[in-house]
Amino acid sequence: MSATNTQSVSQYTKYTNRTATSRATSEAAWVRYSLIGTMLVFLSLFLFIPLASVFAEAFRKGAQTYFAAIVEPDALSAIKLTLIAAGIAVPLNLVFGVAAAWAIAKFEFKGKSFLITLIDLPFAVSPVIAGLIYVLMFGLQGWFGGWLSDNDIKIIFALPGIVLATTFVTFPFVARELIPLMQAQGKEEEEAALVLGASGWQMFWRVTLPNIKWGLLYGMILCNARAMGEFGAVSVVSGHIRGLTNTLPLHVEILYNEYNYAAAFAVASLLALLALLTLVLKSYVEWQATRNAADIEKEIKDEV
Amino acid sequence: MKNRPNKNTLPGFNLSLGYAILYLSLIVIIPLSATFLKAFTLNWADFWQAVASPRVVASYKLTFGASFIGALINVVFGLLTAWVLTRYHFFGKKFVDAFVDFPFALPTAVAGIALSAIYSTHGWIGSRLEPLGIHVAYTPLGVVVALTFIGLPFVVRTVQPVLEDLSAEVEEAAASLGANRWQVFYKIILPAIWPALITGFALAFARAIGEYGSVIFIAGNMPMVSEITPLIIITKLEQYDYAGATAVAAVMLVISFILLFAINGFQWWSNRRLGNNR
């Protein structure tokens, strides 16, 4: 595995292996099929059947009950609140992600890897604790609780708390996607833009942003899916006030706990559709990004 | 890299780093530190009372035990899935590959009610397990099912790229020297992928111990039996026992941070190990 030319040889053998020539590095047909079968059974038990059951339960009492559960005022206000919370949290984390990735990928400074670990922290924290920390800060008995209630500002059991909790749990998504991408891209292109007389912002809008757009979009899609679907953290700070501080996942919980299963699964099916849409968009962006990378590679080869 | 002095000509370092650190502090660092400060205001007896009462200890056992088993299941089936997806061709492979990320995309509450619907005694799968005497929903087994679901993508996604990068030559060499397929797997492939397996295990485990949404619907939440630690925190909060909730949260945070640093350290170590080999 030393020189680069062996790599292309192995690449070559990898593809020729597909024909019947090398039985030695492939398994007997019965092994292959039983492995594929085992995988499909496992994935069915844990992925496909649960997904199918959401829609089956949602339509159990007919399409009319289904649509009635979705257009009901509490459900609509839950949809609205979910959109607002994600609409604030995602852009906030997007700006942070770009700023953090710019500093980390393009510059050298002390404590960089520690900073990266700190950015990852929210993924290591239980969603319940993510909600708790804001209750301890802004709740009635919290650090700022007295001051906030004196000034009649509500954060916990209100929209700002929901936005804060959502922002916390989706904090690392964009930064995590961009840091390795921008590190790999280096800084030659930006330096060239500056040498050619671009201002800092011109360089950012015309060089940096086009280069990172697929990674940015990818991080945004994941961030948005989590923001709209977050349950634990939002559950702690929301107070579950129907029609006021209920997001979609919390609305599902309330309906479910009231044994209103058809309605609960109807609202849940919206979130399942969101998840499916997320997977489709994600696959599309992955495909675009690899195609982009392949194009760039080809351009470089053509130039040489 | 040209031999340039330390000067970096790109603009915006102070602005971007300053903003990133300010935002990180406001959203993450200060609230998290406040939690620890609050935990420190408890005296030792109260703290111990909150974090070591029998009901809380039972929840640790369930949370860590079920997370461990779930992550272990994912190591076995995640490796299998990664293997099948990198090595074999079958109809619908691209679809299956994309679908592995479904647990990341599906809101946990939806996962929770869907799993409890199919694994309850009247559900599609639960009703078939019932005659065998296996009860999944509303038992600790249900917790394992939910935690297996949410950890599913981790092992697949850490092992898959490593399997893709393995060169066929080494396997061919081993085969031509007379190794059978099992020996090749055991002696050639496994040594190459075990760091990824461990990383995937640790990520799935770390995610599982904090998980709340998908578990509470299927667990039944019986104290001492099927009550997870995050639920203990919620229960204490609902009883306005902020100090107790904070104490349990502090214990969980410390464990999560240790795991996070262990995973980062391990990845750094295994990258270096791979780097040295090349």
Side-chain angles (χ1 to χ4, degrees):
Chain A
M1 288 199 276
S2 51
T4 41
N5 58 343
T6 54
Q7 186 125 23
S8 60
V9 173
S10 78
Q11 202 79 341
Y12 174 70
T13 48
K14 222 181 197 173
Y15 290 116
T16 48
N17 274 345
R18 298 278 151 76
T19 58
T21 46
S22 65
R23 292 255 162 69
T25 55
S26 155
E27 288 77 40
W30 68 269
V31 178
R32 279 203 309 270
Y33 289 123
S34 48
L35 287 179
I36 294 174
T38 314
M39 178 196 78
L40 289 177
V41 168
F42 173 71
L43 293 184
S44 300
L45 286 179
F46 283 96
L47 300 184
F48 302 127
I49 296 179
L51 174 65
S53 82
V54 171
F55 291 97
E57 297 282 337
F59 282 103
R60 180 166 274 183
K61 289 190 178 155
Q64 212 165 356
T65 332
Y66 178 87
F67 290 109
I70 289 172
V71 297
E72 183 241 349
D74 286 346
L76 288 180
S77 82
I79 294 175
K80 197 175 137 199
L81 184 63
T82 299
L83 291 176
I84 293 173
I88 301 173
V90 174
L92 280 178
N93 286 334
L94 188 79
V95 173
F96 163 74
V98 173
W102 178 258
I104 288 170
K106 311 277 178 178
F107 298 89
E108 293 304 320
F109 56 91
K110 250 191 182 163
K112 194 197 256 191
S113 53
F114 184 63
L115 181 63
I116 296 175
T117 303
L118 286 181
I119 291 174
D120 271 349
L121 267 189
F123 277 168
V125 173
S126 169
V128 168
I129 299 176
L132 171 75
I133 61 177
Y134 293 112
V135 173
L136 294 179
M137 293 274 286
F138 304 116
L140 211 52
Q141 300 179 3
W143 300 93
F144 303 109
W147 184 85
L148 287 171
S149 75
D150 289 345
N151 289 283
D152 211 20
I153 304 171
K154 262 194 106 125
I155 292 184
I156 299 305
F157 305 147
L159 179 67
I162 293 172
V163 171
L164 276 174
T166 307
T167 308
F168 182 94
V169 293
T170 57
F171 189 88
F173 278 106
V174 179
R176 266 194 138 183
E177 210 51 56
L178 289 184
I179 292 169
L181 179 69
M182 285 167 79
Q183 271 173 339
Q185 285 173 346
K187 46 193 184 188
E188 277 79 10
E189 287 190 42
E190 273 92 356
E191 282 168 347
L194 292 177
V195 168
L196 294 171
S199 75
W201 286 112
Q202 278 174 327
M203 169 211 71
F204 176 76
W205 288 109
R206 300 210 184 151
V207 178
T208 309
L209 209 56
N211 274 342
I212 61 171
K213 70 176 177 217
W214 293 114
L216 197 68
L217 210 56
Y218 190 84
M220 250 179 86
I221 291 165
L222 296 183
C223 186
N224 180 65
R226 180 74 195 266
M228 289 190 174
E230 179 51 30
F231 177 72
V234 174
S235 158
V236 174
V237 297
S238 110
H240 299 85
I241 308 164
R242 253 192 148 149
L244 266 181
T245 62
N246 249 357
T247 61
L248 272 180
L250 298 179
H251 191 56
V252 170
E253 184 202 17
I254 287 188
L255 292 169
Y256 189 84
N257 287 343
E258 287 170 348
Y259 303 104
N260 193 351
Y261 292 137
F265 278 98
V267 178
S269 75
L270 291 181
L271 290 167
L273 283 176
L274 171 77
L276 290 176
L277 182 69
T278 302
L279 288 187
V280 170
L281 287 175
K282 189 173 150 298
S283 304
Y284 174 74
V285 169
E286 275 167 351
W287 176 69
Q288 281 291 341
T290 43
R291 221 181 55 154
N292 236 23
D295 278 356
I296 291 168
E297 223 163 83
K298 202 173 152 254
E299 261 171 47
I300 293 170
K301 259 186 203 155
D302 286 351
E303 275 167 31
V304 175
Chain B
M1 284 286 145
K2 313 269 160 58
N3 47 351
R4 194 185 290 127
N6 280 333
K7 227 170 88 186
N8 195 327
T9 47
L10 293 180
F13 175 66
N14 289 333
L15 177 68
S16 60
L17 187 66
Y19 178 74
I21 289 177
L22 175 72
Y23 183 77
L24 178 74
S25 310
L26 288 178
I27 301 284
V28 179
I29 309 292
I30 294 172
L32 275 178
S33 320
T35 309
F36 282 107
L37 287 178
K38 173 93 181 174
F40 285 137
T41 59
L42 291 174
N43 66 52
W44 179 248
D46 287 346
F47 180 83
W48 190 249
Q49 169 74 23
V51 302
S53 71
R55 188 171 158 187
V56 180
V57 171
S59 84
Y60 298 143
K61 282 184 189 158
L62 175 69
T63 304
F64 288 95
S67 301
F68 191 84
I69 297 169
L72 222 50
I73 293 172
N74 277 320
V75 165
V76 174
F77 288 96
L79 172 59
L80 179 92
T81 304
W83 178 271
V84 169
L85 289 176
T86 46
R87 300 272 165 139
Y88 304 148
H89 290 265
F90 58 93
F91 178 74
K93 177 173 145 170
K94 282 227 167 99
F95 169 77
V96 171
D97 194 2
F99 215 78
V100 165
D101 284 330
F102 188 60
F104 283 163
L106 189 72
T108 52
V110 180
I113 64 169
L115 289 172
S116 52
I118 57 174
Y119 285 97
S120 74
T121 47
H122 301 294
W124 290 346
I125 300 175
S127 60
R128 286 167 180 78
L129 293 173
E130 180 83 0
L132 307 172
I134 304 171
H135 302 278
V136 180
Y138 318 125
T139 69
L141 198 57
V143 180
V144 173
V145 167
L147 295 181
T148 306
F149 172 85
I150 55 120
L152 196 149
F154 287 105
V155 175
V156 182
R157 293 302 184 226
T158 48
V159 173
Q160 213 174 1
V162 185
L163 274 179
E164 271 166 8
D165 282 349
L166 276 186
S167 76
E169 293 167 337
V170 194
E171 284 178 52
E172 278 161 12
S176 70
L177 292 171
N180 65 31
R181 230 17 225 153
W182 177 246
Q183 284 172 320
V184 170
F185 176 76
Y186 193 73
K187 300 209 161 154
I188 308 286
I189 297 171
L190 207 57
I193 60 172
W194 75 262
L197 271 177
I198 291 189
T199 306
F201 173 86
L203 289 172
F205 180 73
R207 170 74 207 264
I209 57 172
E211 179 57 20
Y212 173 70
S214 58
V215 178
I216 52 158
F217 294 100
I218 198 173
N221 306 326
M222 280 188 359
M224 305 296 295
V225 179
S226 58
E227 191 179 41
I228 53 165
T229 311
L231 182 65
I232 296 261
I233 296 174
I234 296 255
T235 313
K236 283 185 186 294
L237 268 181
E238 279 169 357
Q239 294 161 348
Y240 301 104
D241 179 8
Y242 288 89
T246 311
V248 178
V251 169
M252 286 205 76
L253 277 177
V254 169
I255 294 167
S256 302
F257 292 167
I258 292 172
L259 268 172
L260 176 71
F261 281 100
I263 294 169
N264 280 3
F266 181 76
Q267 274 177 325
W268 177 80
W269 173 83
S270 64
N271 282 344
R272 219 181 51 144
R273 171 176 163 271
L274 282 178
N276 283 348
N277 280 356
R278 287 246 163 102

